[in-house]
Amino acid sequence: MYLTSYQNTYSSLTIVLMLRIAIQKSGRLTDESLELMQECGIDFAKSGGKLKAAAYNFPVEFLFLRDDDIPEYVADGVADVGIIGENVIAEERPSLQRPVDIIERLGFSRCRLSLAVPKGAAYSSVQDLQGKRIATSFPNILNEFLQQHGVQSEIHEISGSVEIAPSIGLADAICDIVSSGSTLLSNGLSEVETIFRSEAVLISRPLSPEKQHIVDDLRFRIQSVGRAKKNKYIILNAPSEALPAIMALLPGMKSPTVTPLATSGWNAVHSVVPEDTFWEIIGKLKEAGAEGILVVPIEKMIL
Ligand code: PRT
Ligand code: ZN
């Protein structure tokens, strides 16, 4: 049923037009990028070392690449869009020959780019890095931050194992990606400044109207999946006299659904509650007289 209506929509496009999406071949972004495509209802077979895969039910083709190559491939038109860490596109953007924009934030692979110094080193502000050597794989982002703060440091660009640079005498400080902080800790470093916050993003080059139409459809699906993850569906029982107080706590998508129960004077209330205020609202609902509260995950949420 779904497939039929989909084919009707795209039947003239599938033969001639495919949107090429670049995805990291193997790394921290890979699993969640593929999972997102599946949640968006896009089916394809990814087998072993293959560099390409076409979807069966959506006009896209995946290219599996190293993450650092994705911005340039998108800029050059080898791919149309790509999923990449925001830190990578921010770093590479100044050297791209053609425009590439972030068109959707994807909410996974969150991390931060931070400055760190050896534990015990004197540090009170970024001014303390004046004239110091800083090792990093992100010289452009670091340079911009230092310029904003009027600090001149020696930036040493290294491509990996940045965290060992101070202990081997290569640098006085580092600027690297931090997630849990355990890598810094085990290398005797203290995080002193967060200079950039990153998450996975969808990037795109300017596209023809036909390809843009496919991107718009993809973004619509991504947003529906993202919205669903940020909300919970709740069902509860409430006595009629408690309904005004309960309804005031539950915005729902328009307003809550209220249906009478077989027991007179009681109602079932259905609504949607944002994940971030969920526990607070549940507490208030109980206080207002709600009982038998069921909480159900939402798969897609289409406004
Ligand atoms: O092989 P390829 O070039 O494709 O991949 P890669 O090795 O360059 O990148 P990969 O897969 O490690 O990371 C891809 C993206 O994931 C990054 O560009 C970030 O946007 C995001 N990300 C999220 C991270 C981390 N978390 C992360 N923790 N990237 C790297 N790290 C590393 C960091 O470099 C440091 O060595 O993990 C260490 C710190 O982690 P904690 O948890 O100890 O703080
Ligand atoms: Zn990489």
Side-chain angles (χ1 to χ4, degrees), residues 107 110 225-234 249-252 271-283 295-299 301:
R110 287 183 195 275
V225 169
R227 220 178 276 125
K229 284 184 181 163
K230 287 186 199 138
N231 289 277
K232 300 269 180 220
Y233 190 80
I234 68 165
L249 292 165
L250 294 174
S271 192
V272 172
V273 174
E275 172 85 53
D276 52 357
T277 53
F278 175 74
W279 286 110
E280 195 188 322
I281 290 181
I282 292 291
V295 182
V296 186
I298 301 171
E299 196 183 302
M301 196 165 153

Side-chain angles (χ1 to χ4, degrees), residues 187-198:
N187 284 279
L189 298 166
S190 297
E191 188 175 357
V192 289
E193 216 77 60
T194 295
I195 71 167
F196 189 86
R197 291 194 184 274
S198 177

Side-chain angles (χ1 to χ4, degrees), residues 81-92:
V81 299
I83 296 178
I84 187 76
E86 198 177 350
N87 50 308
V88 173
I89 182 66
E91 178 62 28
E92 293 190 23

Side-chain angles (χ1 to χ4, degrees), residues 5 18 30 36 55 70-71 91 119 121 159 183 191 208 212 231 241 264 276 281 294 298:
S5 63
M18 284 267 193
T30 309
L36 177 62
I70 290 176
E91 178 62 28
K119 253 194 202 97
S159 57
T183 303
E191 188 175 357
S208 65
Q212 190 58 47
N231 289 277
E241 63 273 17
S264 107
D276 52 357
I281 290 181
L294 296 180
I298 301 171

Side-chain angles (χ1 to χ4, degrees), residues 90-282:
E91 178 62 28
E92 293 190 23
R93 196 183 245 150
S95 51
L96 295 175
Q97 302 297 315
R98 297 188 188 85
V100 171
D101 287 317
I102 293 174
I103 56 164
E104 199 67 54
R105 313 185 77 78
L106 303 175
F108 58 86
S109 289
R110 287 183 195 275
C111 58
R112 54 196 189 271
L113 195 59
S114 289
L115 284 165
V117 297
K119 253 194 202 97
Y123 185 93
S124 55
S125 79
V126 64
Q127 308 302 326
D128 293 339
L129 296 175
Q130 181 71 34
K132 297 278 167 65
R133 299 163 303 160
I134 311 176
T136 189
S137 307
F138 297 92
N140 288 328
I141 300 177
L142 174 59
N143 191 35
E144 198 181 322
F145 176 82
L146 293 174
Q147 272 185 10
Q148 278 167 4
H149 289 81
V151 173
Q152 285 189 327
S153 309
E154 252 181 62
I155 298 179
H156 289 255
E157 184 177 352
I158 52 178
S159 57
S161 303
V162 173
E163 63 280 358
I164 62 165
S167 63
I168 59 171
L170 192 69
D172 306 299
I174 67 159
C175 171
D176 200 11
I177 295 176
V178 183
S179 175
S180 66
S182 64
T183 303
L184 293 184
L185 198 69
S186 58
N187 284 279
L189 298 166
S190 297
E191 188 175 357
V192 289
E193 216 77 60
T194 295
I195 71 167
F196 189 86
R197 291 194 184 274
S198 177
E199 65 185 275
V201 291
L202 186 68
I203 57 170
S204 175
R205 64 191 176 88
L207 297 171
S208 65
E210 294 77 16
K211 284 196 173 179
Q212 190 58 47
H213 175 72
I214 305 173
V215 173
D216 291 345
D217 196 348
L218 178 66
R219 288 184 61 201
F220 174 78
R221 293 183 184 202
I222 290 172
Q223 286 164 7
S224 302
V225 169
R227 220 178 276 125
K229 284 184 181 163
K230 287 186 199 138
N231 289 277
K232 300 269 180 220
Y233 190 80
I234 68 165
I235 307 158
L236 56 87
N237 294 331
S240 299
E241 63 273 17
L243 279 180
I246 286 175
M247 307 262 286
L249 292 165
L250 294 174
M253 283 177 80
K254 269 208 166 45
S255 65
T257 307
V258 181
T259 43
L261 292 182
T263 310
S264 107
W266 279 83
N267 309 273
V269 179
H270 295 229
S271 192
V272 172
V273 174
E275 172 85 53
D276 52 357
T277 53
F278 175 74
W279 286 110
E280 195 188 322
I281 290 181
I282 292 291

